[in-house]
């Protein structure tokens, strides 16, 4: 049962009767009248069970993008239903106005739409549907909550996709230049064409030339069908926030851009995500929809407050295949975590694969190191300089082991990692 504001207002009107006839009996009589009206209104109110509810599937959306939840309501009773219906969702689903007015005649149907703007990745669920049906006087209503299952799947935002067209243009330019000029490790045969002045005479195909009246040369292109393995660290270090964005989310954005670019380049993209255990595994091969498949796998990933077991993750990389690959470790460049957990397994990885470590750099450290106006700022700058120095030493140690390090701020990480991939491809180092 629910009570409207009319009921206390009706009780307050009894003050007029008390002023006209000041007696205790007047008060009790007025309360009795109001009670009888409220009881009658409750008995005459339609039952919420007369409403048939049906939820339509909610399409998948990306983080912070709007989607609608559609709820079909049918009045199976004979009486008109006037009231309010609330389509409740968990807070992170970002439900907009979720209260809808009802005015349904018997047998009538209405479609109610609730806008959703997810603020968290993964499957976000509906809490329930509450129907409140008012009586004819609008004093009291019958109310009931129905558990109507519903969910919306929120995928990673992939905000870095705006960088994809420019990187694809560079990839096409790279293929065009390589087909004419490049020859060496990291290239494969592309096609035959007639010799033109300026071509390297070492590229002449003498067998084809003997069968034709003109000189024929071979052209080459960067090798395709390479392997790119994306390794997402979901341990405690990925839970840190940089400019109010979790490090894991920034790493996902960079992985999505690199995965989409590598798939367009004809390479095979695999994904591993984990900490002490592997949380997600994807063999995407050369699928054109690799970005969508990566988003599906990443949707449910959350940081786990444990240390990463890099031996287990390195074993999982080996389990994907022994072919040489570009292994991209998306993990924070935290000196203690890297030196204790990652360094012991790097020699094995570097021996068999090309390894890149991509990390989100916190710009707050640079701001603290630059501010030295007061004594407190000087102490903070000294601490920040110490942290930056340790990060620099760790990066140099990784490079000495043969690991490429990409350590930039969050918004620069996806394009910087994509540019590094294109640079390796241009030099034939994959």
């Amino acid at each position: 049962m629910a009570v409207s504001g009319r009921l206390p207002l009706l009780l307050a009107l009894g003050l007029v009767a008390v002023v006209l006839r000041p007696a205790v009996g007047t008060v009790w009589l007025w309360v009795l009248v109001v009670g009888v009206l409220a009881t009658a209104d409750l008995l005459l109110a339609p039952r919420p069970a007369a409403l048939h509810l049906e939820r339509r599937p909610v399409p998948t959306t990306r983080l912070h993008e709007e989607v609608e939840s559609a709820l079909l309501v049918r009045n199976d009773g004979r009486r008109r239903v006037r009231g309010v219906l609330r389509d409740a969702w968990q807070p992170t689903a970002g439900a907009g106005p979720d209260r809808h007015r009802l005015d349904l005649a018997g047998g009538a149907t209405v479609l109610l739409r609730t806008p959703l703007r997810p603020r968290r990745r993964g499957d976000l669920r509906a809490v329930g549907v509450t129907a409140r049906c008012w009586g004819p006087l609008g004093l009291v209503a019958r109310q009931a909550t129905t558990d109507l299952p519903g969910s919306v799947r929120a995928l990673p935002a992939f905000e870095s996709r705006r960088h994809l067209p420019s990187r694809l243009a560079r990839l096409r330019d790279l293929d065009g230049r390589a087909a004419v000029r490049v020859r060496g490790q990291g290239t494969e045969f592309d096609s035959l064409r007639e010799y033109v002045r300026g071509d390297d005479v070492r590229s002449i195909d003498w067998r084809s030339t003997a069968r034709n009246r003109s000189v024929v040369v071979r052209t080459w292109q960067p090798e395709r069908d390479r392997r790119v393995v994306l390794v997402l660290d979901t341990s405690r270090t990925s839970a840190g926030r940089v400019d109010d964005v979790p490090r894991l989310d920034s790493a996902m954005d960079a992985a999505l851009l690199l995965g989409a670019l590598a798939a367009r380049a004809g390479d095979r993209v695999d994904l591993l995500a984990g900490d002490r255990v592997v949380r997600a595994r994807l063999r995407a091969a050369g699928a054109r929809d690799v970005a969508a498949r990566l988003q599906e796998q990443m949707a449910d990933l959350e940081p786990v407050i444990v240390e990463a077991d890099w031996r287990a993750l390195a074993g999982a990389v080996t389990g994907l295949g022994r072919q040489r690959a570009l292994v991209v470790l998306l993990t924070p460049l935290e000196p203690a975590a890297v030196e204790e957990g990652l360094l012991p397994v790097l020699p094995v990885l570097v021996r068999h694969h090309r390894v890149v470590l991509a990390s989100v750099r916190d710009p707050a450290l640079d701001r603290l190191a630059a501010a030295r106006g007061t004594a407190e700022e000087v102490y903070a700058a000294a601490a920040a300089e110490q942290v930056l120095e340790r990060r620099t030493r760790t990066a140099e140690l990784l490079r000495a082991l043969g690991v490429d390090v990409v350590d930039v701020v969050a918004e620069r990480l996806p394009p910087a990692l994509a540019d590094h991939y294109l640079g390796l491809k241009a030099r034939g180092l994959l």
Side-chain angles (χ1 to χ4, degrees), residues 140-193:
V140 183
R142 295 176 185 263
Q143 179 173 305
T145 300
T146 304
D147 185 14
L148 192 64
S151 66
V152 57
R153 188 166 182 80
L155 304 177
F158 195 12
E159 296 177 352
S160 62
R161 63 182 178 274
R162 66 182 184 275
H163 299 292
L164 187 57
S166 61
R167 270 58 191 183
L168 289 176
R170 289 184 54 187
L171 180 64
R172 288 191 294 268
D173 181 61
L174 170 64
D175 286 343
R177 287 187 293 108
V180 176
R181 301 177 58 185
V182 177
R183 176 68 182 108
Q185 185 180 6
T187 60
E188 62 183 16
F189 174 73
D190 180 53
S191 61
L192 298 172
R193 63 171 175 81

Side-chain angles (χ1 to χ4, degrees), residues 168 170-176 178-179 185-190 220-228 260-269 286 288 323-324 421 425 428 430:
L168 289 176
R170 289 184 54 187
L171 180 64
R172 288 191 294 268
D173 181 61
L174 170 64
D175 286 343
Q185 185 180 6
T187 60
E188 62 183 16
F189 174 73
D190 180 53
W220 311 87
Q221 66 176 4
E223 281 188 332
R224 295 177 178 268
D225 201 29
R226 302 291 89 191
R227 287 182 59 228
V228 178
L261 180 62
R264 295 290 186 89
D267 294 335
R268 293 176 293 164
V269 181
R288 300 292 292 182
Q323 179 186 355
R324 182 175 175 82
Y421 165 79
K425 207 165 186 64
L430 293 185

Side-chain angles (χ1 to χ4, degrees), residues 231-238 248 273-275 308 310 313 330-332:
V231 183
L232 273 175
D233 178 11
T234 61
S235 66
R236 64 169 185 85
T237 55
S238 65
L248 180 59
D275 34 82
W310 285 104
L313 295 178
L330 294 132
T331 181

Side-chain angles (χ1 to χ4, degrees), residues 189 192-193 201-218:
F189 174 73
L192 298 172
R193 63 171 175 81
V201 294
R202 292 173 297 178
S203 297
I204 296 176
D205 188 302
W206 294 107
R207 290 188 179 182
S208 300
T209 299
R211 292 193 296 266
N212 293 273
R213 295 183 178 180
S214 58
V215 179
V216 177
V217 297
R218 297 174 180 174

Side-chain angles (χ1 to χ4, degrees), residues 24 29 137 148 151 178 190 210-211 238 276 295 306 350 404:
V24 176
L29 180 61
L137 300 178
L148 192 64
S151 66
D190 180 53
R211 292 193 296 266
S238 65
R276 300 197 69 83
Q295 283 179 303
V306 297
V350 172
D404 300 333

